[in-house]
Amino acid sequence: MPSKSNLKAYTSIDRKSKQVNRKRFTRNDCMGYLFSAPLILGVLVFAIYPMFAALYMSFQQTTGLTLSGNWVGWSNYTYVLQDPIFWQALENTFLMGILSVLFGIGLSFILASLINNLRWTFGKNFFKAVYFLPNVVSAVATSLLFSFLFFPSKEGLLNFVLGWIGLDPVGWFTNPAVSRFSIVLMSLWGALGYNTIIFLAGLQSVPRDLYEAAEVDGASAYSKWLYITIPYLRPIFGFMLIMGTIGGMKRFTDVWLLGGTAGNPGGSLMTVVLYIYRNAFLAAQMGLATAASYLLFVIILLLTTVLMMVNRRKDSMD
């Protein structure tokens, strides 16, 4: 039987040999890096470099064609923070984003719960397909569709229905007081199916033992939904909230198609990304646009961090 000193010697030798093998660059490692090279190169060229170039450009007065503009320091950030159009765009973005996220999560969870309780398998699959179908429609097609549905005169389908019950036509995309809520309705129609499918997957993963134990204790269907289903799906709620917030802060396509580059009517559809687009490609002020981009990046980062901290704190309390 080997002594303790021999065992220590064998152990040290084995550790040294493993360290040597780890440091050695094998042929498999070379092949792995070779196959990963196109992806790594693409990330460096199309992601990492533009990020640092935009950061450098945000301190310059430049059109963006080159990186050799006039250095202006924090002037671009100061101008953006003092621009009332930027704050109006931020307000519109927050309003439409918050309403889209809250109503989207709530409605999709209710729909997923109703579909999950169906005992008819064909009915479940049918409603899954029906509610997910708008998700495969592009944002451009969705905007064009709703521009006809929400046409401001009686020729619009929704205003035509309102005329049947004696109501005047509503300027869904022409009235500044209504246009932002119309965008929220349109975004709900487009994103409801995706959220519903995610919630359905989460509902089907809830252990049946929890429901059976609650039934033994005499819990009602509403109590099981409130005290078992919702707490069990808290990670999914957190994921939906974070992803919906990020997507809502980057709203551009629908407001650009329906409100133009001015965010009409009356600037009510002006969002931060549309503000960035105007400065970058219409006013040729790439320095201002990149400064606004990094301000938006900081806002999204702070919101995401706060939401993740709140979600983690609730999990730790449970």
Side-chain angles (χ1 to χ4, degrees), residues 44-238:
L44 291 174
V45 174
F46 298 107
I48 304 300
Y49 170 74
M51 287 176 58
F52 286 100
L55 180 61
Y56 179 73
M57 200 178 296
S58 66
F59 296 99
Q60 293 182 321
Q61 184 180 5
T62 175
T63 60
L65 299 177
T66 62
L67 294 178
S68 59
N70 298 324
W71 184 266
V72 294
W74 295 96
S75 298
N76 289 328
Y77 291 92
T78 304
Y79 178 87
V80 172
L81 292 175
Q82 293 178 351
D83 189 0
I85 299 178
F86 173 77
W87 291 106
Q88 182 186 9
L90 189 61
E91 178 187 352
N92 296 334
T93 304
F94 267 111
L95 177 63
M96 291 186 286
I98 291 173
L99 293 178
S100 298
V101 170
L102 294 181
F103 283 105
I105 292 177
L107 290 176
S108 59
F109 178 64
I110 294 173
L111 283 175
S113 300
L114 294 175
I115 295 174
N116 189 59
N117 289 329
L118 290 176
R119 297 186 178 181
W120 189 25
T121 304
F122 177 78
K124 283 186 177 182
N125 296 330
F126 173 77
F127 284 109
K128 285 180 186 178
V130 168
Y131 284 110
F132 188 75
L133 189 61
N135 190 69
V136 303
V137 180
S138 66
V140 177
T142 301
S143 301
L144 292 176
L145 173 64
F146 273 81
S147 65
F148 288 107
L149 294 177
F150 287 174
F151 199 74
S153 64
K154 293 183 179 180
E155 285 75 15
L157 179 61
L158 195 56
N159 282 330
F160 180 74
V161 175
L162 292 178
W164 277 358
I165 57 179
L167 297 178
D168 295 329
V170 177
W172 299 100
F173 293 130
T174 58
N175 187 351
V178 183
S179 58
R180 293 180 294 186
F181 303 101
S182 303
I183 291 290
V184 172
L185 290 175
M186 185 179 67
S187 63
L188 287 178
W189 182 83
L192 199 63
Y194 174 80
N195 296 340
T196 302
I197 295 298
I198 297 296
F199 276 122
L200 268 173
L203 289 170
Q204 293 172 0
S205 66
V206 179
R208 299 296 306 174
D209 299 342
L210 298 178
Y211 293 120
E212 293 173 358
E215 291 174 358
V216 172
D217 293 336
S220 62
Y222 175 74
S223 298
K224 291 187 291 183
W225 186 68
L226 184 62
Y227 296 105
I228 296 178
T229 305
I230 293 179
Y232 195 86
L233 297 182
R234 181 174 295 168
I236 297 181
F237 279 104

Side-chain angles (χ1 to χ4, degrees), residues 61-63 76 276 278-290:
Q61 184 180 5
T62 175
T63 60
N76 289 328
I276 295 169
R278 287 182 59 187
N279 282 283
F281 299 106
L282 297 182
Q285 294 290 335
M286 192 63 70
L288 293 176
T290 51

